[in-house]
Amino acid sequence: MPASLMRGHSLRTSKVMRNGINTGSAAAIPEAKLTSAPASPLICLPFAGAGPSFFKEWIPLAGSLKLIVPQLPGREKRFLEEPYRDVAQAVAGILPEVLELIGKHKSVIIFGHSLGAVLAYELSHSLAAQEIQVEHLVVSGSPGPWMPRGRRATGLNDDEFIGRVREFAGYDHPALNDVELRDMLLPVLRADVEMHENYDPPEARLLQVPITSVRGAHDELVSSEEAAQWRCATTMPFQLCEIPGGHMYLTQTPQTLLRLIEGLRRLPVAAPEYSVAWGEEEQ
């Protein structure tokens, strides 16, 4: 783990502002009023066990963002293919599809939640090598990329594994309660969890990309301090945002997250570092 991750970082005290944003500095993420602007590709990378269909309901909420969701093997249309168990191999595998989906666009925004956060981090490096500008990296529900997980699920029997995954995810997916669906889901879920738990990124490989780390305000799995560790992954501005909800807030309020991401398109590149609570209305 880089020494920079050991630095102590304090979060600023929030105060309520009239635009519904709680912020500890004079800076505030601008409201997204970009419906007439050209669509920006937003590459979405899923959490463990999820596939492109999870993001289907985001499409009518995306506003000026054009959703791009690469298809990882082992799920949905690629159900019969062997899933990846290594983050670097997974990103190398989806890179050709991502480049094809991007088309003529030369800049993108990337979002990933939990496992998707480390996939998004690695994809940011890969796209930079292809001379594709990453306007912003939005990582969600994740400690910094160098933080190992203390308790693991890899290698446990089925019942113990499912119990540990429920603990990690902070919610219970209905499919895990159906025996047939569970047996279909377990191989890819095990592969994804193994990929996440064994992820070991090279040190001293900082992105030149602004990073926003997002967490549910009541996330019991990823603390504010852990979410703030992403500031050490970039040489560019960093911010921490909190959205009402727990670890899986994005299953309940995707419109809040998408409004936040749209607003990032107007955030000045030289904006100061700050923390913000997003989506809470003034009382």
Side-chain angles (χ1 to χ4, degrees), residues 11 48-49 87 102 121 125 169 182 198-199 209 260-262 277 281:
L11 299 178
V87 168
I102 289 173
Y121 171 69
H125 284 290
R182 186 181 74 171
N198 291 341
Y199 177 59
V209 174
L260 185 157
I261 295 174
E262 276 197 298
E281 297 300 327

Side-chain angles (χ1 to χ4, degrees), residues 68 94-104:
I68 290 177
I94 65 173
L95 183 60
E97 180 188 3
V98 169
L99 292 172
E100 180 180 354
L101 292 172
I102 289 173
K104 296 181 179 179

Side-chain angles (χ1 to χ4, degrees), residues 165-179:
V165 167
R166 283 172 173 155
E167 175 188 335
F168 289 163
Y171 86 120
D172 188 5
H173 194 290
L176 295 177
N177 297 318
D178 183 290
V179 175

